[in-house]
């Protein structure tokens, strides 16, 4: 049995659905993030169809180039599920029935009152020297096998010890718990090479401006290495240290890099790190800063072109009920009027205007009895644009109540978003949250011009 460290890994995903683009391979992404977090660097991601020859040769090649191989999918009962057979061929071993797995499959099927068939029991098979990994959630067990190095590999074997393969089920709800329970305890991250990764999120800045502000921090020869990616108006900064230990020194280096990034980006950098996505980090930060006030501040929304997206972004965060009052989807003008928007303002300026956005925010604030109200009205397209108000024009207003409830204040901004209908709507909702963030985190004099904001470029009349 191999005891060499898992200095690198190859992740394979199998399935015709993935190859044909019917299914997005999220397992590989999840596994890669988990491995990096554990200090094991993925070397390659490979996707292969449900084809026995391809599976065997790809597994062979993967084992010849990395000490750890994780393959997902193809463990189920259908004829397209070939991972067990591929592993048996790779090891030149027959498939035998693993009695404990067979018993577990029988008991799970009985509990679900489903027939016990040969096809179902085939999932209990394993190559003779492989270990079955129990599946707490579904029927198909995983597999763990030691693969000896190829003796006369045409590729030239890159390491001479055994490689380890873990075969995990395709459904993410089965794969993830099996990874944590069965794979994690068997992993051996290299002790002499530490990997520390951290994700930070940046709002209200274009990618190029962010790179400018960070200066030589983003040089490719630095360790920690700092990378930036943009998605939906939020930037993700990845800090990755890879080098000698001890771990404390690596963490120190990452902390120092984060400190310099924070100095360079100020309020553009969110306080939350390592979130599921930039959007969830932004929503969580917004909720946290409302909840942190004494007393906590409440929020309401009034949405037109986003049709509830902003409310969805907020309520997707657990605990949002402590600050979120709810809102109004006022898509038709008649409903905007019912909320209390002045028909004359709609008539004079149109539904997509600073005036109407402002009134929506003020009426929402009063009706919901909230401390803040965000209102969004715009043209998401593809039709409905005019020369003065092209597709992508969106007005967002933030109304804030003060000690004198008769005198709320309003900040209104105009944006011109690019992209298709979905992009425009998503960017509008994200920008609304961004406005609220800067309202709390940047003094009025230093409020930045946000991405896509056009408020003062062409003053609205
Ligand atoms: P099952 O017992 O459900 O057949 P399996 O191990 O045989 O599991 P597959 O048949 O390859 O796995 O895939 C089953 C389902 O799991 C797919 O239809 C898909 O919903 C999900 N799935 C498989 N691979 C992936 C992947 N790489 N990323 C995300 N989801 C996946
Ligand atoms: Mg299957």
């Amino acid at each position: 049995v191999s005891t060499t460290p898992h200095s690198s890994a190859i992740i394979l995903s199998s399935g015709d659905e993935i190859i044909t683009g019917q299914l997005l391979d999220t397992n590989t992404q999840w596994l890669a993030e988990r491995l990096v977090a554990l200090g094991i660097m993925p070397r390659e991601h490979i996707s292969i169809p449900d084809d026995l020859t391809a599976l065997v040769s790809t597994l062979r090649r993967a084992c010849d180039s990395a000490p750890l191989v994780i393959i997902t999918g193809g463990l189920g009962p259908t004829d397209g599920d070939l991972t067990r057979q591929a592993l048996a061929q790779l090891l030149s071993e027959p498939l035998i029935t693993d009695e404990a797995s067979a018993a577990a499959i029988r008991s799970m099927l009985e509990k679900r009152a489903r027939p016990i068939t040969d096809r179902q029991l085939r999932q209990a098979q394993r190559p003779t020297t492989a270990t079955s990994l129990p599946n707490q959630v579904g029927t198909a067990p995983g597999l763990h096998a030691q693969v000896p190095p190829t003796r006369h590999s045409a590729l030239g074997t890159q390491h001479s010890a055994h490689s380890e393969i873990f075969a995990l089920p395709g459904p993410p709800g089965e794969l993830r718990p099996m990874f944590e329970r069965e794979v994690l305890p068997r992993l051996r991250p290299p002790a002499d090479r530490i990997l520390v990764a951290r994700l930070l999120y940046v709002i209200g800045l274009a990618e190029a401006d962010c790179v400018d502000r960070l200066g030589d921090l983003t040089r490719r020869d630095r360790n920690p290495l700092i990378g930036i990616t943009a998605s939906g108006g939020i930037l993700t900064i990845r800090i990755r240290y890879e080098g000698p230990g001890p771990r404390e020194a690596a963490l120190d280096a990452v902390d120092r890099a984060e400190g310099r990034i924070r100095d360079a980006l100020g309020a553009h950098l969110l306080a939350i790190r390592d979130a599921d996505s930039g959007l969830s980090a932004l929503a969580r930060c917004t909720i946290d800063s409302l909840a942190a006030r004494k007393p906590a501040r409440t929020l309401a929304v009034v949405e037109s072109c986003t049709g509830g997206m902003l409310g969805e972004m907020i309520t997707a965060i657990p605990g949002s009920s402590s600050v979120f009052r709810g809102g109004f989807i006022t898509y038709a003008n008649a409903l905007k009027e019912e909320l209390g928007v002045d028909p004359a303002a709609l008539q004079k300026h149109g539904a997509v205007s600073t005036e109407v956005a402002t009134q929506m925010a003020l009426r929402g604030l009063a009706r919901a009895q909230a401390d803040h109200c965000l209102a969004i009205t715009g043209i998401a397209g593809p039709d409905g644009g005019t020369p003065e108000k092209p597709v992508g024009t969106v007005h967002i207003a933030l109304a804030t109540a003060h000690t004198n409830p008769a005198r709320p204040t309003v900040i209104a901004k105009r944006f011109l978003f690019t992209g298709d209908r979905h992009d425009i709507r998503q960017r509008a909702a994200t920008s609304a949250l961004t406005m609220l963030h800067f309202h709390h985190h940047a003094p009025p004099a230093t409020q930045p011009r946000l991405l896509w904001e056009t408020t003062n470029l062409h003053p609205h009349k």
Side-chain angles (χ1 to χ4, degrees), residues 29-268:
Q29 183 197 20
W30 187 85
L31 285 167
E33 279 192 327
R34 283 301 282 128
L35 289 176
V36 169
L38 293 164
I40 298 174
M41 194 60 191
R43 180 200 294 280
E44 251 185 281
H45 296 177
I46 307 174
S47 298
I48 27 179
D50 296 316
D51 174 280
L52 191 57
T53 316
L55 273 165
V56 177
S57 66
T58 309
L59 281 170
R60 176 79 270 161
R61 178 167 76 78
C63 288
D64 281 341
S65 57
L68 175 65
V69 175
I70 301 182
I71 176 168
T72 70
L75 290 175
T78 74
D79 293 333
D81 292 323
L82 298 165
T83 302
R84 289 171 205 291
Q85 268 163 275
L87 222 50
Q89 279 200 19
L90 180 71
L91 295 163
S92 308
E93 290 173 11
L95 283 168
I96 58 163
T97 294
D98 184 86
E99 291 306 333
S101 301
I105 291 171
R106 280 201 194 87
S107 115
M108 175 149 300
L109 291 172
E110 263 161 24
K111 262 190 233 146
R112 295 180 184 176
R114 284 177 33 211
I116 297 162
T117 61
D118 283 351
R119 185 181 277 285
Q120 291 283 9
L121 288 173
R122 230 189 279 161
Q123 297 175 97
Q125 292 191 330
R126 61 167 168 83
T128 39
T129 64
T131 310
S132 275
L133 306 175
N135 187 335
Q136 308 287 323
V137 187
T139 48
L143 290 172
H144 176 209
Q146 308 275 344
V147 183
T150 320
R151 273 179 231 300
H152 305 290
S153 169
L155 294 164
T157 306
Q158 291 187 22
H159 65 107
S160 52
H162 278 57
S163 290
E164 272 176 283
I165 295 188
F166 290 93
L168 304 177
E174 298 180 30
L175 164 119
R176 296 178 186 191
M178 193 182 288
F179 178 88
E180 305 296 350
R181 280 181 65 106
E182 304 296 336
V183 182
L184 181 65
R186 293 172 164 103
L187 294 180
R188 295 183 300 277
D192 58 335
R193 228 187 68 245
I194 306 284
L195 203 62
V196 178
R198 186 172 294 170
L199 300 177
L200 307 175
Y201 306 96
V202 182
I203 54 167
L205 264 190
E207 202 172 357
D209 297 336
C210 183
V211 173
D212 281 346
R213 287 190 185 213
L214 294 181
D216 73 345
L217 274 171
T218 58
R219 269 201 349 240
R220 297 293 301 165
D221 59 353
R222 286 186 71 101
N223 192 15
L225 187 64
I226 290 170
I228 303 176
T229 51
S231 170
I234 304 178
L235 306 177
T236 299
I237 298 185
R238 281 153 215 280
I239 311 177
R240 187 160 59 78
Y241 174 93
E242 195 180 351
R247 196 170 174 79
E248 292 67 40
L251 281 171
D252 244 28
V254 170
D255 283 344
R256 275 199 307 276
E258 179 178 341
R260 288 188 59 187
I261 293 170
R262 207 159 280 286
D263 290 344
L265 301 182
H268 289 277

Side-chain angles (χ1 to χ4, degrees), residues 13-14 17-18 23-27 72-77 81 123 169-172:
S13 54
S14 70
E17 286 166 294
I18 290 167
L23 177 76
L24 182 65
D25 171 15
T26 56
N27 286 346
T72 70
L75 290 175
D81 292 323
Q123 297 175 97

